[in-house]
Amino acid sequence: MEKRVTFKGIWLPILLVAPQVAVTGVFFFFPAGQAIWQSLFIPDPFGLSMQWVGLGNFEYLLGNSFYRASFLTTAIFSVSVTVVSMAIALYLAVLADRLIKGSGTYRTLLIWPYAVAPAVAGVLWLFMFNTRIGVVTWYLGQLGYDWNHVLNEAEAMGLVVLASSWGRISYNFLFFLAGLQAIPRSVIEAAAIDGARFWTRFRTIVWPLLSPVTFFLLVVNIVYAFFETFGVIHTITGGGPQQATTILVYKVYADGFVGQDLGSSAAQSVILLVVVGILTVIQFKYIERKVHY
Amino acid sequence: MATVTLTGIHKSYGKTEVIHGIDIDIADGELIVIVGPSGCGKSTLLRMVAGLETITSGDLLIDGARLNDAEPMDRNIAMVFQNYALYPHMSVADNMGYALKIARRPKGEIAERVQAAAKMLQLEPYLARKPRELSGGQRQRVAMGRAIVRDPAVFLFDEPLSNLDAKLRVQMRLEIKALQRKLGVTSLYVTHDQVEAMTLADRMIVMNAGVAEQIGTPLDVYERPATVFAAQFIGSPAMNVLPARAEGRVARLANGIGIETGTDASGDVLVGMRPEHMERDPDGPIALDIRMAEPLGANTLLHGSLAGIAQEIVVSLPGVHREDVMAGSARFRIAPEACHLFDAGTGRRL
Ligand SMILES: Nc1ncnc2c1ncn2[C@@H]1O[C@H](COP(=O)(O)OP(=O)(O)OP(=O)(O)O)[C@@H](O)[C@H]1O
Ligand SMILES: [Mg+2]
């Protein structure tokens, strides 16, 4: 059965694809091209002239210990965000899947955080953990724990991971729940009759059948952690203390707009682009093999 | 090998009761077919035995042990689902060996038992394949194999053949019967197909709207249906049932025709006559206006009506008939012992 739509002329298809191509062109190819071009120069502080340096910006960056530290920070941050948000989402989805009564309310409540803008979420968490007036800080203080993410690097990292994961849980939850509900009930029942208890069923049946969803979320969440967490970091820690939460994308901003080193900033965004590209290729090449469709 | 006993099994979903008390004693090795129209509660009953639905009230005993509250895995049963419910990400061999692997049997033993079952079901060439690479009939066999490998006390089948084409269904029906005989495992088999029920069952439960209308051997049900429902559900084409007034051993139909029934009764009754028990007889009491004939080869179905009665009557004559009966009118008789009488109010056999 041919399900595809076939067009007669050439103009209608072109017209239909044009908006997408235009958007991609204006907001991706054009800036990406500009970034690549800029990464080959050093502009003077007033932006009046540019000096050709070839790959000098890249050379300098790769030799810079702060920049290399930022790589490690990014790795820790994105792995943490991905693991935390996916694990919690999966746990909640499994619970929601077993629920029969009231699952609608439960689901709606779980989806709300997704509607909160990252910067707003950042402020929200910042208030809760504020070193002087934060509710959580106060409770932690009662328990004898002195919370101070402004000074403590690990705490700062923990907080931005938490805040970035929070909104992401909703998104992951939706996909995991849909994935769980797509598994035929009778397959689970057959496994139960075959002697598998809940955890064994999860390990041997549910998890493998969920793997396409998990894989998709893995890719999407890593890309999210790399790029879209800027707002959260900017509002909560501003990359500090020291450089503890300066992930690559934040460094692009910090060096480019705060430090006014546009050439280096452009070079960084090019590197970032390449890194994400490589990561995605690796994921598709190696992890996808373990996925059962 | 096990006996299964159901006593007063009820099932309610909230306030609606869907199973109204089923009692049956199933002997070791017996094949019981649960048959009835869609929605009568067959699957629900089976799933209660499997432990996939809770039993609202009543007792389920397997080998004398009350298992109402046991988890499915603690009942030593195997089930074949209508959609087969194979594990899509596992090979045929892994599907069949799954239960043994969970039970931590040694690898060698698992391979051996899977191999033996595969041989029995002619699945050997497909052991390495995934379920999606199999035909419907092969998947059905894998589902059977998965049940056999376990060597359970009880087999449960929920319409295992309904997704197969007619020819394959007949073949698999015979195979299931042979297999069940050979293994001697007590089995419960759900179907809505009365032919399947007749050919497979040692005994059958004829179910209607959550009630067991009759429990008996296929021939029992055929020859002495306990209710009008059982009479009309079992047998094809369905039994003709006409309202009448009984006067001793004669039942008088609405148009005044008297039919000898061989049963003493009085008052309002229903007379049941199987199409295949009606014979042509120029002097017979039943004069039919024949509207249509269906030549099936082995027999010929005549659809007609009695003067003064709107209800259609079906007659099945053996063999091919090309002559007069194909149109117009003809007279028929039925032997008194072939007539079934039912109470018009309760529908029970008289
Ligand atoms: N979860 C449920 N909640 C409420 N009613 C239910 C539920 N499951 C089944 N029923 C009802 O119970 C009755 C019996 O259902 P069941 O699935 O046992 O029928 P069945 O005889 O197997 O029919 P079929 O031949 O169509 O499979 C039906 O009337 C159905 O509507
Ligand atoms: Mg059913």
Side-chain angles (χ1 to χ4, degrees):
Chain A
M1 221 177 13
E2 183 72 31
K3 277 250 166 135
R4 259 182 291 175
V5 181
T6 14
F7 292 104
K8 283 219 181 67
I10 177 127
W11 290 110
L12 182 60
I14 286 182
L15 197 68
L16 290 175
V17 195
Q20 183 63 35
V21 172
V23 168
T24 317
V26 170
F27 292 103
F28 179 71
F29 285 113
F30 175 65
Q34 247 193 349
I36 294 174
W37 180 247
Q38 272 185 4
S39 69
L40 305 175
F41 294 88
I42 298 180
D44 75 279
F46 305 103
L48 298 175
S49 66
M50 299 211 295
Q51 189 192 346
W52 169 266
V53 291
L55 294 178
N57 280 325
F58 293 94
E59 253 170 60
Y60 173 76
L61 276 175
L62 296 178
N64 181 325
S65 66
F66 283 121
Y67 189 65
R68 286 201 306 249
S70 177
F71 259 97
L72 185 64
T73 309
T74 309
I76 293 173
F77 175 75
S78 28
V79 169
S80 307
V81 168
T82 305
V83 169
V84 168
S85 65
M86 282 177 68
I88 296 179
L90 179 59
Y91 177 71
L92 293 174
V94 168
L95 292 186
D97 188 42
R98 286 158 63 99
L99 212 63
I100 299 162
K101 261 189 209 154
S103 60
T105 329
Y106 185 76
R107 257 175 255 171
T108 314
L109 287 177
L110 275 170
I111 290 160
W112 275 354
Y114 189 50
V116 178
V120 177
V123 171
L124 215 85
W125 285 87
L126 188 58
F127 274 140
M128 286 196 289
F129 282 89
N130 186 294
T131 46
R132 263 160 291 153
I133 55 163
V135 188
V136 182
T137 312
W138 187 78
Y139 276 115
L140 285 174
Q142 295 292 305
L143 293 174
Y145 189 86
D146 186 17
W147 176 272
N148 194 339
H149 66 262
V150 181
L151 297 178
N152 186 316
E153 302 194 347
E155 284 174 12
M157 177 56 98
L159 186 56
V160 287
V161 166
L162 206 62
S164 308
S165 305
W166 179 63
R168 215 52 202 169
I169 291 172
S170 308
Y171 180 88
N172 295 346
F173 167 80
L174 276 184
F175 278 88
F176 274 132
L177 186 63
L180 286 173
Q181 296 192 332
I183 299 174
R185 231 191 144 64
S186 57
V187 170
I188 305 292
E189 290 174 346
I193 289 178
D194 269 349
R197 284 169 206 281
F198 180 79
W199 181 239
T200 316
R201 282 203 300 273
F202 185 81
R203 199 168 45 78
T204 57
I205 309 284
V206 175
W207 179 249
L209 291 181
L210 214 50
S211 58
V213 176
T214 314
F215 173 65
F216 165 77
L217 288 178
L218 197 65
V219 174
V220 171
N221 279 304
I222 287 194
V223 171
Y224 163 84
F226 260 76
F227 293 110
E228 285 167 55
T229 47
F230 175 84
V232 172
I233 292 183
H234 193 52
T235 45
I236 296 186
T237 64
Q242 313 296 337
Q243 286 237 1
T245 54
T246 302
I247 60 168
L248 288 171
V249 77
Y250 195 78
K251 201 165 165 53
V252 170
Y253 161 82
D255 288 355
F257 293 88
V258 182
Q260 286 292 306
D261 188 352
L262 289 182
S264 169
S265 167
Q268 287 178 31
S269 49
V270 171
I271 292 177
L272 197 54
L273 203 72
V274 172
V275 167
V276 171
I278 291 173
L279 266 183
T280 309
V281 169
I282 289 175
Q283 284 174 326
F284 271 93
K285 249 194 135 75
Y286 295 98
I287 305 183
E288 201 189 17
R289 282 203 199 141
K290 296 198 193 302
V291 171
H292 313 275
Y293 284 105
Chain B
M1 314 293 122
T3 61
V4 178
T5 308
L6 307 183
T7 33
I9 297 280
H10 287 256
K11 174 73 190 179
S12 306
Y13 289 108
K15 284 209 170 68
T16 32
E17 190 170 275
V18 295
I19 306 268
H20 309 284
I22 304 277
D23 300 272
I24 185 172
D25 262 313
I26 303 172
D28 184 20
E30 211 176 2
L31 200 172
I32 299 289
V33 174
I34 304 168
V35 63
S38 184
C40 71
K42 311 180 292 287
S43 298
T44 306
L45 183 60
L46 198 74
R47 291 167 58 82
M48 283 194 284
V49 176
L52 300 173
E53 298 279 354
T54 55
I55 298 172
T56 308
S57 70
D59 290 314
L60 162 72
L61 305 174
I62 296 183
D63 262 344
R66 185 173 185 277
L67 292 183
N68 282 39
D69 303 316
E71 293 285 327
M73 38 271 199
D74 301 325
R75 298 189 181 200
N76 196 14
I77 46 159
M79 183 156 168
V80 177
F81 291 81
Q82 181 172 358
N83 64 359
Y84 315 138
L86 300 177
Y87 311 126
H89 57 298
M90 295 185 196
S91 68
V92 168
D94 288 344
N95 260 282
M96 288 167 57
Y98 183 73
L100 298 179
K101 200 169 153 207
I102 299 276
R104 302 235 163 83
R105 313 298 308 182
K107 274 215 169 73
E109 182 196 331
I110 297 178
E112 214 170 276
R113 283 165 72 172
V114 167
Q115 196 65 38
K119 189 162 183 200
M120 209 184 305
L121 293 162
Q122 290 131 43
L123 279 173
E124 282 165 306
Y126 312 111
L127 281 175
R129 289 207 201 166
K130 293 275 172 64
R132 64 165 177 275
E133 298 159 345
L134 299 176
S135 73
Q138 288 160 349
R139 281 179 214 179
Q140 211 286 329
R141 275 169 214 268
V142 176
M144 294 277 303
R146 195 167 62 179
I148 292 172
V149 166
R150 301 253 325 265
D151 192 18
V154 182
F155 279 145
L156 303 175
F157 300 90
D158 192 356
E159 310 211 22
L161 304 182
S162 58
N163 285 348
L164 302 180
D165 67 54
K167 199 169 163 194
L168 200 53
R169 203 163 359 177
V170 173
Q171 182 196 336
M172 285 307 293
R173 190 168 80 201
L174 293 173
E175 282 184 30
I176 288 181
K177 177 145 182 157
L179 212 58
Q180 197 270 344
R181 285 272 173 287
K182 185 166 151 197
L183 301 171
V185 176
T186 313
S187 305
L188 276 159
Y189 186 108
V190 163
T191 178
H192 60 257
D193 178 351
Q194 57 98 13
V195 180
E196 224 167 274
M198 290 294 282
T199 51
L200 280 175
D202 290 322
R203 280 190 298 156
M204 59 167 112
I205 306 177
V206 182
M207 268 185 79
N208 181 29
V211 172
E213 296 263 341
Q214 184 169 13
I215 299 177
T217 65
L219 291 182
D220 238 10
V221 178
Y222 178 80
E223 287 171 344
R224 293 187 56 78
T227 64
V228 174
F229 178 85
Q232 289 198 294
F233 197 79
I234 298 300
S236 171
M239 182 188 280
N240 301 299
V241 176
L242 298 170
R245 277 197 73 77
E247 300 157 359
R249 289 174 173 271
V250 173
R252 205 156 291 287
L253 301 181
N255 61 1
I257 292 175
I259 295 176
E260 247 186 274
T261 62
T263 311
D264 250 323
S266 64
D268 286 340
V269 294
L270 296 168
V271 188
M273 297 175 284
R274 291 207 182 272
E276 57 274 28
H277 291 158
M278 299 177 71
E279 299 162 85
R280 282 196 78 194
D281 179 356
D283 305 322
I286 306 163
L288 284 189
D289 289 325
I290 291 162
R291 219 169 23 73
M292 201 176 72
E294 290 179 289
L296 301 180
N299 51 353
T300 304
L301 298 187
L302 304 176
H303 299 259
S305 55
L306 273 169
I309 296 179
Q311 197 181 333
E312 184 175 89
I313 290 188
V314 181
V315 173
S316 169
L317 297 177
V320 176
H321 295 260
R322 289 203 170 78
E323 59 309 356
D324 54 315
V325 286
M326 300 298 283
S329 63
R331 298 188 81 88
F332 299 86
R333 64 179 282 275
I334 184 161
E337 59 276 13
C339 278
H340 305 268
L341 268 199
F342 303 96
D343 186 294
T346 64
R348 308 220 126 261
R349 182 181 193 86
L350 291 173

